[in-house]
Amino acid sequence: MTQTSAASESDLLSRIERASGDYNDGLFRMAVKMATGTGKTATMGMVIAWHAVNAVSSRRNGRHAGRYHTQFLAITPGLTVRERLGVLNPFAPNNVYAELDLVPADLREHLNRVQVRQINFQAFQRRDVLGQNVTGDTRRLLRRSDERVLESPEAMLQRVLRGMPALTGRGGKIVVLNDEAHHCYLPGHEDGGHAEPLTEDALSQEGEPAALWFNALRSLREAGLLAEPVYDFSATPMFISTSAGKNARMFPWCVSDFSLLDAIESGLVKIPRVPVEDDSDADSPVWRRLFQNTNPKTLHRGGLHGAIESGLNALYRNYEATFEQWCGESAERPMPTPPVLIAVAGNIGNAEALHQYMAGYTEEGPDGKLLYQPGACSLFSNVLPDRSGWQPSLRTLLVHSQLDQETAVTKGSRLGRALSIQAALLREMGDEPLAGMDDQAVVREALNTVGKVGKLGEQIRCVVSVSMLTEGWDAKCTHILGYRAFSTQLLCEQVVGRALRRSSYDVGDDGLLPPEFAEVLGVPFDFLPPASRHIAPQPDPRPTYEVRTLPGRQSLRIGFPLIASYRFAHGSGSRRLDPGRVERFTLADAPTMAVVVGVAGTEEIVASGPDDIRRQRVEAELASALAAAWERELMDAGESARRVFLFRNAIEDVRRWLEMPQVRAAAEGGDIWRRLVTSEARRQAVVAILDACVPADGMADGITGIFEQQALRSTHGIQYQTSLDDHYPDSLDAFCEHSEINIAACHSGLEAHIARLLDDHPQVTAWARNYGLGWTLPYLYDGVWRRYEPDFVARLFGGREGDTAVYLMIEGKGQPDDESDAKQRYVEDYWIPAVRNNDTLDPSLRRWTFTQVPASYEAYGADRSLLGIELNAAIHRARQLLPTAEGVR
């Protein structure tokens, strides 16, 4: 090496050391960014081999004493990575040095002096030396305190590093290799500077993995055991605490950046293909953001809905083709293990729903016997097609990121129960001896051996993960389904990275690695990061004001019945189609196919829906969904005779609806049923049919309400702060004249004007803005029960105790839509009859009517009297509800 190059190297190392020291309490760290699947483990092996070979040379010639070492500590974030790094041990049967021929044969013996230890960073947590079973009295006797008695840092290191020569002063210092090092940094130092180091007390208060891991490095340094620099390895070496922001930065001590794009272009990893266009009318591909484009977000095992169902079906159809190429009868060289699809959900509820939808489940039948329900995806179903029991080997596995921790998952928790079910299946199907392993260990073993011949997870084809799959997981994954919020590209890259490890490294005839692809739906991954944007300054906090009940206004108090759900009297009627209410059907485009493209290679088309469809099948599916909606409305799903009756009515109404001219016009040639091949299209059709249905005779008389534990809520005792810009009166110092509440906090100018009209109207004896009052009404929309919060309520004609009071519910809706129509239907057809039929309520609280202001505030222009006309018309209708000699109407 020339003097010039040596000086340049020294200057570079000095700059890195200074940058690292500013962020790491003086510690010298060197980080390497390497995309998943590009050989981090191999590079760690090279570092160990480099030290080992040079350590022998330095001892022989006396040069660079203390620079090279033979003791290594690989610190990892979880059990999966720790087990994978076992190949760094030169004496392991499948060690990385022999597999990749990292060391020449004549130098191989130098590795015999190397000692490598793999440890999870959680092991550096200082333990309570008294243990959990020591009583508070004993603690007070020993320490005069109820606080934990922590072991000393020296004792902690003795426990963690037991057997390593460095503890006895022999063998030099320990070289630390941080795998997945983005978990290790000093909290509060993300912007650099020489802040005070994190103390042990501060560490316990922080409770952050990053702080615990960093304190492990600092403990090694303070004990004189740490060889610097510390080597960091990560695909995303960034501060986790800032990764949610748009300005997430790499560790300043990063010395090499081999990005994911570099890895893809070099052919070292698979090429992820994401949707770039589809056949919907949306501005961007719907299947690129499945979670964002699916409503409601909560999934149920009985069936998926919207974008997640069509997207999953499309990805599964593509998986079927891949499975046939790999393992089918037409495969030229059948693979010993199947390809793997991973589905990532944001919470355990949605993960369980996806798992049960794809893999099937069991439930108890009416006779107490266990019923087996196969999954909708036959290749992933754990249940036999004939429903007689389980498959001989597990096909779909449900896991959680907590599985990778040494801390046991609570057995009574929802996650614990899910793991117990998975473990029971694995014990029933597995050939390996699993005795002595707890549920968590059994499931972890299955996950870590996915795609490994002769192991527990050999035949697993699908892994459904709660949160992100554990780091270091290695399987022949070919498909990814994301169903969670992806707030940053960092998270997208981490999830996509789980599928990028190549299945084969055999070169082709041209001497290059042939391309491999991973199909990705639901993860909005961008191949190139967006250009940096100007970060706007933090806006000033908005002023708040108080909304409260005014004293001395009991005469203006309004009570609200609180109904939790609806119930129908046995034998009451249902709904039927009203041809006069059928509107022109406009099918909002949902994708049936999408083009997925990677940064390189060919494009692929993924499509949803069966290849053939028959009208009778469409009619039956529509009728079934319509009958199910009626059944949910009637709250009488257990009556099989009613179910048959509902389906008969539904199939008649479906056939009539399909033949209506305003419906047939939605498709060329009039065959609208041909466009209803996807579940999303069928859902839109069911909504349209429901909107055209009216209550059958006697239906309203059979409705009653199931009240909340607190049957009534009122305008009494209201007090909260808000910053809503629109309000009535305009001055915060003024009060409403005919409301028990001082001011009406509004979301729009339209609502503020409605409040003004109510306060001035001679027929309104009391009114209230329903914001912050906790009054909601149940309604069914898109197959899910929801809660509706009306905008206003007004008492008309009479006083609070009078018999001539009628209550008017007002919704200030700027732009009506399908959901607002559903709210109105449930208020008028369900809530109002349920309240009217409840004879436990005071008669003055049993007369209700509803109106919805259908136009936007701007549409009224200067002639705001049109709002008054709307209100007067509603009041006129309400007058028809006044009591007669026959009693309450």
Side-chain angles (χ1 to χ4, degrees):
M1 181 183 295
T2 65
Q3 288 185 336
T4 303
S5 61
S8 299
E9 179 187 7
S10 176
D11 179 62
L12 176 62
L13 289 175
S14 297
R15 286 192 285 116
I16 295 171
E17 187 170 4
R18 285 195 302 271
S20 174
D22 288 343
Y23 287 79
N24 293 288
D25 188 24
L27 273 173
F28 182 17
R29 300 171 63 182
M30 297 175 63
V32 175
K33 179 181 178 182
M34 299 180 66
T36 300
T38 56
K40 290 199 302 290
T41 304
T43 306
M44 291 181 194
M46 293 177 187
V47 171
I48 293 173
W50 177 74
H51 269 278
V53 171
N54 282 285
V56 174
S57 300
S58 64
R59 279 194 300 271
R60 289 175 179 174
N61 56 34
R63 298 174 57 190
H64 306 297
R67 180 176 179 180
Y68 304 104
H69 308 275
T70 57
Q71 296 179 81
F72 301 89
L73 186 63
I75 304 181
T76 68
L79 299 173
T80 300
V81 179
R82 189 182 75 183
E83 293 172 4
R84 181 173 57 83
L85 293 188
V87 298
L88 294 177
N89 187 339
F91 305 104
N94 57 340
N95 69 83
V96 68
Y97 315 98
E99 181 180 0
L100 300 179
D101 198 20
L102 296 182
V103 181
D106 58 332
L107 300 177
R108 184 65 173 79
E109 62 177 11
H110 294 340
L111 291 176
N112 295 338
R113 301 175 60 88
V114 167
Q115 183 175 15
V116 183
R117 182 82 59 87
Q118 301 86 32
I119 297 178
N120 285 359
F121 76 89
Q122 295 92 339
F124 289 90
Q125 178 74 58
R126 289 167 61 190
R127 296 177 178 176
D128 186 350
V129 296
L130 295 183
Q132 297 181 350
N133 298 322
V134 178
T135 65
D137 291 338
T138 304
R139 293 179 184 277
R140 284 189 289 273
L141 178 64
L142 295 176
R143 291 287 301 269
R144 299 180 181 178
S145 170
D146 287 332
E147 296 179 357
R148 295 187 305 159
V149 183
L150 297 179
E151 63 185 342
S152 67
E154 294 78 12
M156 178 269 292
L157 290 176
Q158 288 287 338
R159 168 176 54 82
V160 174
L161 304 177
R162 182 178 293 112
M164 296 195 76
L167 287 175
T168 62
R170 298 181 292 105
K173 296 184 178 182
I174 299 174
V175 176
V176 171
L177 308 172
N178 283 331
D179 198 5
E180 309 296 349
H182 53 275
H183 293 289
C184 177
Y185 58 88
L186 185 54
H189 288 228
E190 292 89 336
D191 295 325
H194 295 281
E196 287 296 320
L198 201 66
T199 65
E200 195 69 38
D201 290 340
L203 171 63
S204 61
Q205 293 172 5
E206 287 279 349
E208 293 186 10
L212 176 58
W213 194 330
F214 181 84
N215 236 39
L217 303 181
R218 197 172 63 182
S219 297
L220 288 168
R221 180 186 62 182
E222 293 174 353
L225 302 176
L226 182 66
E228 298 186 72
V230 173
Y231 298 98
D232 293 339
F233 297 85
S234 173
T236 54
M238 300 175 182
F239 297 104
I240 295 177
S241 60
T242 63
S243 63
K246 300 296 184 184
N247 59 337
R249 295 176 296 113
M250 254 195 320
F251 289 161
W253 57 93
C254 210
V255 298
S256 176
D257 180 2
F258 192 70
S259 67
L260 179 57
L261 187 61
D262 293 328
I264 294 172
E265 291 179 337
S266 68
L268 290 178
V269 298
K270 290 194 184 83
I271 302 171
R273 292 193 290 206
V274 298
V276 294
E277 56 187 33
D278 60 27
D279 59 344
S280 73
D281 289 336
D283 294 335
S284 61
V286 172
W287 293 340
R288 191 178 178 91
R289 291 175 171 82
L290 286 175
F291 186 78
Q292 176 182 333
N293 293 318
T294 300
N295 288 297
K297 309 296 184 190
T298 302
L299 306 181
H300 302 280
R301 74 180 186 183
L304 305 184
H305 56 269
I308 180 60
E309 182 182 26
S310 60
L312 172 57
N313 289 340
L315 194 64
Y316 173 70
R317 285 166 62 83
N318 188 270
Y319 175 89
E320 285 181 314
T322 304
F323 184 88
E324 180 63 26
Q325 293 173 356
W326 282 38
C327 309
E329 296 179 357
S330 61
E332 296 182 5
R333 292 185 300 171
M335 302 284 284
T337 59
V340 177
L341 181 149
I342 61 176
V344 179
N347 58 61
I348 189 170
N350 284 340
E352 282 186 321
L354 283 171
H355 176 262
Q356 293 173 343
Y357 175 81
M358 291 190 285
Y361 55 91
T362 59
E363 58 184 355
E364 187 174 317
D367 56 357
K369 292 184 179 180
L370 203 61
L371 301 179
Y372 291 86
Q373 300 292 340
C377 304
S378 58
L379 292 178
F380 297 152
S381 180
N382 290 330
V383 177
L384 291 169
D386 61 3
R387 304 172 184 260
S388 61
W390 300 110
Q391 295 278 359
S393 61
L394 194 72
R395 294 182 172 186
T396 301
L397 179 70
L398 174 65
V399 298
H400 194 288
S401 57
Q402 293 182 19
L403 191 71
D404 202 45
Q405 301 174 6
E406 291 183 319
T407 305
V409 173
T410 305
K411 288 191 175 182
S413 65
R414 187 171 183 178
L415 173 59
R417 294 193 298 271
L419 289 179
S420 295
I421 294 173
Q422 297 292 290
L425 287 177
L426 288 164
R427 290 189 175 98
E428 183 178 339
M429 301 174 180
D431 297 328
E432 289 190 352
L434 302 175
M437 298 173 64
D438 60 21
D439 293 345
Q440 199 166 336
V442 169
V443 178
R444 188 190 307 120
E445 173 66 15
L447 175 66
N448 291 341
T449 57
V450 170
K452 292 180 170 56
V453 177
K455 299 294 184 179
L456 185 62
E458 175 183 354
Q459 292 303 317
I460 290 177
R461 305 169 180 181
C462 178
V463 176
V464 182
S465 172
V466 187
S467 190
M468 191 172 64
L469 269 172
T470 180
E471 290 156 320
W473 184 69
D474 184 10
K476 296 175 181 178
C477 178
T478 56
H479 296 73
I480 289 183
L481 180 82
Y483 188 70
R484 58 164 295 171
F486 289 94
S487 55
T488 66
Q489 280 300 305
L490 173 62
L491 182 58
C492 293
E493 182 173 334
Q494 289 174 330
V495 172
V496 170
R498 298 298 175 265
L500 297 189
R501 204 175 301 274
R502 292 182 61 92
S503 302
S504 171
Y505 291 91
D506 296 333
V507 297
D509 296 336
D510 57 0
L512 302 176
L513 292 170
E516 294 184 4
F517 299 94
E519 316 302 344
V520 182
L521 297 189
V523 184
F525 174 70
D526 291 327
F527 292 102
L528 293 175
S532 59
R533 300 169 181 163
H534 172 68
I535 300 175
Q538 185 72 16
D540 294 332
R542 298 169 64 183
T544 62
Y545 53 92
E546 184 180 53
V547 178
R548 68 184 188 278
T549 298
L550 293 173
R553 291 196 171 192
Q554 290 86 345
S555 63
L556 301 177
R557 184 165 300 164
I558 293 181
F560 319 107
L562 298 180
I563 289 182
S565 59
Y566 310 108
R567 175 181 292 162
F568 276 70
H570 184 78
S572 60
S574 61
R575 288 181 167 273
R576 294 310 305 268
L577 185 75
D578 180 0
R581 293 186 58 169
V582 176
E583 297 182 354
R584 181 179 178 86
F585 182 57
T586 302
L587 187 62
D589 264 347
T592 60
M593 55 80 64
V595 179
V596 292
V597 176
V599 71
T602 59
E603 64 183 31
E604 176 79 358
I605 295 178
V606 293
S608 175
D611 294 328
D612 61 335
I613 196 74
R614 296 291 183 269
R615 176 169 181 145
Q616 291 84 354
R617 176 179 173 181
V618 171
E619 292 175 347
E621 290 177 344
L622 287 175
S624 178
L626 185 62
W630 286 343
E631 196 171 55
R632 287 192 294 271
E633 289 180 344
L634 295 172
M635 297 290 181
D636 201 6
E639 189 178 345
S640 58
R642 162 159 290 169
R643 187 176 302 175
V644 173
F645 167 74
L646 291 176
F647 183 81
R648 288 172 181 169
N649 287 351
I651 197 72
E652 292 178 9
D653 287 345
V654 164
R655 288 169 177 167
R656 292 171 62 198
W657 181 82
L658 287 172
E659 293 302 320
M660 299 293 291
Q662 50 273 59
V663 176
R664 292 171 59 87
E668 295 182 5
D671 288 336
I672 180 61
W673 63 270
R674 295 185 182 276
R675 298 194 61 194
L676 305 180
V677 294
T678 66
S679 60
E680 175 60 24
R682 291 193 295 271
R683 184 197 66 79
Q684 295 175 34
V686 170
V687 170
I689 299 172
L690 281 173
D691 288 343
C693 290
V694 296
D697 293 339
M699 179 178 176
D701 294 334
I703 299 178
T704 57
I706 301 175
F707 281 75
E708 303 276 5
Q709 187 173 6
Q710 178 188 355
L712 286 175
R713 187 163 292 167
S714 74
T715 52
H716 173 65
I718 302 301
Q719 185 177 15
Y720 63 88
Q721 296 283 332
T722 182
S723 61
L724 292 182
D725 292 331
D726 292 297
H727 47 78
Y728 171 80
D730 296 334
S731 171
L732 295 176
D733 295 327
F735 295 153
C736 298
E737 185 174 349
H738 293 104
S739 177
E740 190 180 17
I741 299 174
N742 66 325
I743 195 166
C746 302
H747 290 105
S748 66
L750 173 63
E751 291 181 355
H753 189 60
I754 293 174
R756 179 178 294 104
L757 289 175
L758 292 175
D759 210 36
D760 293 339
H761 202 284
Q763 300 297 332
V764 176
T765 60
W767 67 278
R769 164 77 171 109
N770 182 35
Y771 178 69
L773 306 188
W775 180 44
T776 60
L777 291 63
Y779 72 102
L780 185 69
Y781 178 69
D782 208 9
V784 177
W785 281 101
R786 307 167 190 241
R787 306 295 299 187
Y788 161 50
E789 184 178 70
D791 287 335
F792 295 90
V793 60
R795 188 173 69 233
L796 308 177
F797 313 129
R800 184 164 64 94
E801 303 296 337
D803 291 334
T804 56
V806 177
Y807 288 86
L808 172 63
M809 198 185 304
I810 304 165
E811 173 69 16
K813 187 67 179 176
Q815 295 294 335
D817 52 27
D818 289 343
E819 187 165 7
S820 67
D821 292 343
K823 293 175 184 177
Q824 180 171 358
R825 181 160 61 91
Y826 271 86
V827 170
E828 295 177 339
D829 296 347
Y830 293 82
W831 192 89
I832 291 177
V835 172
R836 183 181 66 232
N837 295 335
N838 192 300
D839 55 10
T840 64
L841 289 174
D842 186 277
S844 64
L845 277 176
R846 293 168 59 189
R847 293 184 291 270
W848 289 78
T849 186
F850 176 86
T851 188
Q852 179 170 274
V853 178
S856 67
Y857 177 68
E858 291 78 12
Y860 286 92
D863 189 7
R864 294 180 176 176
S865 62
L866 289 177
L867 272 176
I869 294 175
E870 291 268 2
L871 180 60
N872 286 330
I875 292 175
H876 177 73
R877 293 192 299 270
R879 193 178 295 277
Q880 310 306 311
L881 300 176
L882 287 175
T884 66
E886 299 175 356
V888 177
R889 299 194 195 195

